[in-house]
Amino acid sequence: MSGHARTSVRVGVEIAGSGACLPSRRLTNNDLVSMMDTSDEWIVQRTGIRERRVYDPKVEGTADLAIGAARAAIADAGMKPTDIDLVIVGTMTPDAPTPGVASVVAARIGAGHVGAMDVNGACCGFVFSLNVAHDMINSGGYKSIVVIGADTITRFCDFTTAGRNVAVLFGDAAAAIVLRVNQDPSIGLLAQAMHSDGEGARNLFVPGRELDFPPNVEYAPEKIHRIYMDGQAVFKFAVGTFPKLIEQTLEKAGLAADDVDHYVCHQSNYRILNSARERFGLSPEKLSVNIDRYGNTVGASVPLVFDELRKSGRIHPGQKVMFLAFGAGLTWGSSLWQL
Ligand code: COA
């Protein structure tokens, strides 16, 4: 049943399951070399990416990937789709303006007429959704929520030399977790942060019309529906924001960097992740990287790392996990959990 009466009793929120769904088409750096003027060496050295998955628009879309991830996460939690009372999808690439991806997922997994909504926070879509979903359960309104990050961003990439600075970075994917009410109130969110800077969007945006071009970017019809990115400005933003976000979240929770067992980070560039590792003295075990296999998968990136950690048996009750993302919007946000 959806929308239980709100009560003042605070409950715990557990991460009950996770799952992922990837398109089957693999595009290696060498495959890209046949499409544009680039090289495996350039891509690996600057980003750490070796291959990515790319969806086939003729047979699948964001909703299909989201459905696969939701089903896998619900099964992993040992639950049925009818146990879910809310579906939230973090996505910036819905297949169409309407229906929302979450509505399609709810119907097609057989969850019934439950609440369903999309959150557009670009690469932060999943982390923002996670924070919202936690509080919906914690405040007594819902019992089980599937939170999905799903994007088919490659449709906004230009796979020619003109678009090489962007196209080599991205891949398509979906991943999900299931949140469930738990009677132990010490389990759940310890601290979170959500931020945005709409002015900074001039360095990373997808124009839909001529009016969307800021003064720093010259309009051209072929740039419509293509990602514009000033790579160096975004790199600077990410390297500067990332440690501040970690510090702010630790401070809110009254924790030290080493108290956190896993930093589950948005995968946008190996060098950005590595700078955070160095800054806080984190071992590779504490800050996992999978960008080499998937590239930047936007909203799917964070839950995809979490699902890999969980499937490899490295996530345990009692651990503390910090989810972190930053991206277009500009947006940045965190979600620190006691498992
Ligand atoms: N292959 C080969 N050469 C490429 C290339 C590619 N795919 N893309 C760009 N180049 C060239 C450029 O044309 C430029 O050539 P020039 O010196 O002759 O003008 C040169 O490589 C350097 O380009 P530049 O953009 O300065 O590279 P960079 O060191 O800044 O690295 C990024 C580019 C995109 C890897 C880096 O800026 C980055 O990771 N930025 C952050 C991106 C990000 O995280 N975005 C998502 C946020 S969620």
Side-chain angles (χ1 to χ4, degrees), residues 92 121-124 153 156-157 165-167 169-170 197-207 212 214 216-217 226-235 237-238 266 268 272 296 298 326-332:
M92 62 170 274
C123 298
C124 292
I153 191 69
F156 296 104
C157 296
N165 65 321
V166 168
L169 304 178
F170 290 101
D197 170 16
E199 296 293 329
R202 63 182 173 275
N203 295 320
L204 181 57
F205 65 97
V206 182
D212 296 334
N216 59 310
V217 184
R226 294 280 177 244
I227 299 169
Y228 170 85
M229 186 183 72
D230 176 337
Q232 290 190 6
V234 175
F235 191 88
F237 153 72
H266 175 52
S268 69
I272 295 170
N296 178 347
V298 190
F326 49 86
L330 301 171
T331 52
W332 58 107

Side-chain angles (χ1 to χ4, degrees), residues 17 22 39 43 47 56 77 86 96 161 174 201 225 253-254 265-266 273 276 278 281 287 301 304 327:
L22 292 153
S39 68
I43 301 170
T47 70
D56 179 350
L86 185 62
T161 299
H225 292 148
C265 300
H266 175 52
L273 295 169
E278 283 171 5
L287 198 163
S301 163
L304 197 55

